[in-house]
Amino acid sequence: MITAVAERIRSARPDDGPVEIVGDAGARVTGATLRAHEVRPGDLFAALPGARAHGADFADRALERGAAAVLTDAAGAERDALRGSDVPVLVHADPRAAIGPASALVYGDPSTRLEVLGVTGTSGKTTTVYLLEAALAAAGATTGLIGTVETRLGGQRLPSAFTTPEAPDLQALLARMADDGATHVAMEVSSHALSLGRVAGTGFAVGAFTNLSAEHLDFHADMEDYFAAKARLFDGRSRHEVVCVDGPWGRRLVTDGTVTVGAPDADWRAEHVVALPDGTQRFTVHGPDALELPVTVRLPGAFNVTNALLALACGAATGHDPAVLARGLAQVRVPGRMQRVETGQPFLAVVDYAHKPAAVEALLQTLRAGTSGRVLAVLGCGGDRDRAKRPVMGRLAAQLADHVWITDDNPRTEDPAAIRAEMLAGAREVDGALVDEVGDRREAIAAAVADARPGDVVVVAGKGHETGQQVGDHKVPFSDVDELERALKRSAGGRP
């Protein structure tokens, strides 16, 4: 088995040099993990180099828990716990890149037993994946979902630690889904996942691209580096490629055979869009082979028309009837994405995950277009993340909302007041803007609700589906949806 794992790594990473096997090349492994404390008997433990420590420093714990083999680099193989170890050690120049193909083999190459549809891009991944899952289910597929909000296996919900799980976890999850009868899996694919090899070893039936705007520039060197990470989903690992081409980044991905979405000259496009007061949208889809199809989605905003188009095109790429797929779109609601909170109040109250400039701009423009009243926005920025976006988000909020409450998001290890100050600096560039600073997020939400009048819109942006607030090293229970609902029930303005 170890020989087979080494050969899989060699074939997947031919430019990374040889894979050395130290010890019994015939040892059998039955699972894989990156975490020593999660090792189960028979696992391959991937001891990866890190910024603060080397995974091989914890190899003794992995071995005590029954690791059957270890994958590491030359530096890791020299650690005391592995020198002279009784278990085989695979030594490779880039074990992080190698663990994906190795895990896929260990778990029986589950993506060959499933139709995996991956969606990447800056905004819209979550919504598109939910729409795609519903469309495929309507077409008779047995579906799984892997994403930011949750992982779903049939009717069972599992929490998501990452938008895209680490490679061994992903392969184990796909194997479980295949074993339990899933036929199609819709999953979000983040730039981190593509950069760090989390989806290495996964074959995609469809790779889809939504859009690109500034985000994660604390991780990526610049926008070109960010785009290059996203583009890896379109390096041949996806059998079909479906790309939204209403912006320049998407157009750069187009090659022969690419299915295009969203632009007037695209293969899939929408016309005659009608936005109803409750946020529902109806439009006509024009697609390949003279397709003309009426579609309804219960999500407001032009970007959600594009997300629905992308979902339809992805489902059609796997051979399903677009008319049947469209039936599944009509009832989709996405947690924390344009999520309405209703307690009988005479104004619209919405929670949304928008936490980057382009998303905040699109959110507020959409809400502005749909109301004759005021737009009241509660917004913060996360700590230990891209600082450049903070004044931009503050300025956009001040430009597009009638009243803004700058508050805390997930400050993490930063001073919350310093984060707010950077946002306020941008907001105060807007002449005549009405902006308040309320550090306590609960109080900021209550203040916005108390200020609301009939016909207004209250939007709480940034955290969406999240159920905790990261303060220092602690996560404090906090839900924008729950807090907004409580504020509405407490406020006299929240009763008709």
Side-chain angles (χ1 to χ4, degrees):
M1 179 69 170
I2 295 300
T3 301
V5 171
E7 184 53 41
R8 173 61 66 88
I9 294 170
R10 287 190 195 102
S11 63
R13 308 288 306 182
D15 297 331
D16 288 343
V19 182
E20 180 184 359
I21 301 174
V22 180
D24 180 12
R28 183 170 179 267
V29 293
T30 55
T33 185
L34 305 179
R35 307 173 190 90
H37 66 280
E38 293 182 1
V39 166
R40 296 181 180 182
D43 275 356
L44 170 67
F45 171 56
L48 309 182
R52 298 180 181 177
H54 199 295
D57 294 331
F58 308 98
D60 52 353
R61 185 173 184 181
L63 297 176
E64 288 172 2
R65 293 181 60 85
V70 177
L71 169 65
T72 191
D73 59 7
E78 291 299 315
R79 294 299 204 271
D80 290 341
L82 294 179
R83 294 176 68 180
S85 170
D86 292 334
V87 305
V89 178
L90 291 89
V91 184
H92 184 259
D94 190 351
R96 174 169 285 281
I99 188 58
S103 299
L105 178 66
V106 169
Y107 288 108
D109 289 313
S111 62
T112 64
R113 297 185 283 147
L114 296 161
E115 294 281 273
V116 182
L117 300 94
V119 181
T120 197
T122 304
S123 300
K125 294 189 299 297
T126 298
T127 298
T128 301
V129 163
Y130 271 86
L131 289 164
L132 182 53
E133 182 206 31
L136 291 168
T142 302
T143 59
L145 179 147
I146 302 172
T148 305
V149 177
E150 63 183 344
T151 295
R152 282 209 295 246
L153 175 56
Q156 184 179 3
R157 292 185 175 187
L158 304 171
S160 296
F162 299 104
T163 301
T164 313
E166 293 282 7
D169 303 323
L170 176 60
Q171 297 303 323
L173 180 59
L174 292 175
R176 180 180 172 187
M177 289 180 169
D179 290 344
D180 284 6
T183 58
H184 294 69
V185 175
M187 68 177 289
E188 297 181 50
V189 183
S190 67
S191 62
H192 288 69
L194 289 158
S195 297
L196 299 174
R198 292 178 190 163
V199 293
T202 303
F204 291 89
V206 177
F209 177 83
T210 58
N211 51 61
L212 199 79
S213 62
E215 191 186 27
H216 301 310
L217 297 183
D218 52 334
F219 179 80
H220 298 287
D222 51 32
M223 287 298 292
E224 283 294 334
D225 183 56
Y226 183 30
F227 174 71
K230 297 290 190 185
R232 292 180 186 180
L233 188 59
F234 308 92
D235 62 4
R237 73 184 74 196
S238 300
R239 194 163 69 246
H240 302 284
E241 298 179 356
V242 182
V243 175
C244 180
V245 291
D246 60 358
W249 298 105
R251 290 192 178 274
R252 287 174 58 177
L253 292 172
V254 176
T255 61
D256 291 342
T258 301
V259 177
T260 57
V261 170
D265 59 346
D267 299 321
W268 293 78
R269 58 198 183 279
E271 294 181 355
H272 310 303
V273 179
V274 177
L276 303 179
D278 66 353
T280 298
Q281 297 187 91
R282 295 175 181 157
F283 52 95
T284 301
V285 170
H286 294 273
D289 302 320
L291 174 71
E292 188 170 320
L293 179 68
V295 173
T296 298
V297 292
R298 298 181 68 180
L299 299 166
F303 49 88
N304 280 319
V305 172
T306 304
N307 291 337
L309 276 175
L310 194 64
L312 281 175
C314 288
T318 61
H320 291 95
D321 182 349
V324 178
L325 293 167
R327 295 173 196 160
L329 302 180
Q331 302 302 316
V332 174
R333 293 187 182 274
V334 185
R337 272 68 174 175
M338 284 289 198
Q339 182 174 348
R340 298 177 62 167
V341 180
E342 299 280 0
T343 64
Q345 77 277 1
F347 53 85
L348 180 64
V350 175
V351 169
D352 194 84
Y353 191 52
H355 60 281
K356 61 198 95 92
V360 169
E361 183 176 24
L363 169 69
L364 295 178
Q365 286 177 339
T366 295
L367 295 175
R368 166 70 65 201
T371 182
S372 58
R374 299 173 302 156
V375 176
L376 314 178
V378 177
L379 181 68
C381 280
D384 301 333
R385 298 294 187 269
D386 178 18
R387 290 180 57 184
K389 71 181 182 181
R390 296 171 186 173
V392 179
M393 287 173 59
R395 183 169 57 254
L396 286 169
Q399 288 172 339
L400 297 171
D402 297 282
H403 194 164
V404 180
W405 286 262
I406 299 293
T407 189
D408 294 344
D409 190 287
N410 292 311
R412 299 183 177 89
T413 65
E414 285 194 63
D415 176 6
I419 298 172
R420 297 195 303 271
E422 292 184 61
M423 295 187 69
L424 285 164
R428 287 169 178 156
E429 294 175 7
V430 180
D431 291 339
L434 181 55
V435 181
D436 289 328
E437 179 184 5
V438 181
D440 185 292
R441 193 172 181 90
R442 182 177 289 109
E443 292 180 7
I445 293 170
V449 168
D451 191 48
R453 300 193 292 259
D456 287 347
V457 177
V458 173
V459 55
V460 182
K463 289 173 57 58
H465 63 281
E466 294 177 0
T467 56
Q469 187 175 31
Q470 193 72 39
V471 181
D473 295 328
H474 303 285
K475 180 171 281 190
V476 180
F478 195 98
S479 163
D480 280 355
V481 174
D482 291 347
E483 293 301 332
L484 180 55
E485 183 176 9
R486 290 190 187 102
L488 290 168
K489 290 177 177 178
R490 286 195 303 264
S491 173
R495 292 192 296 270

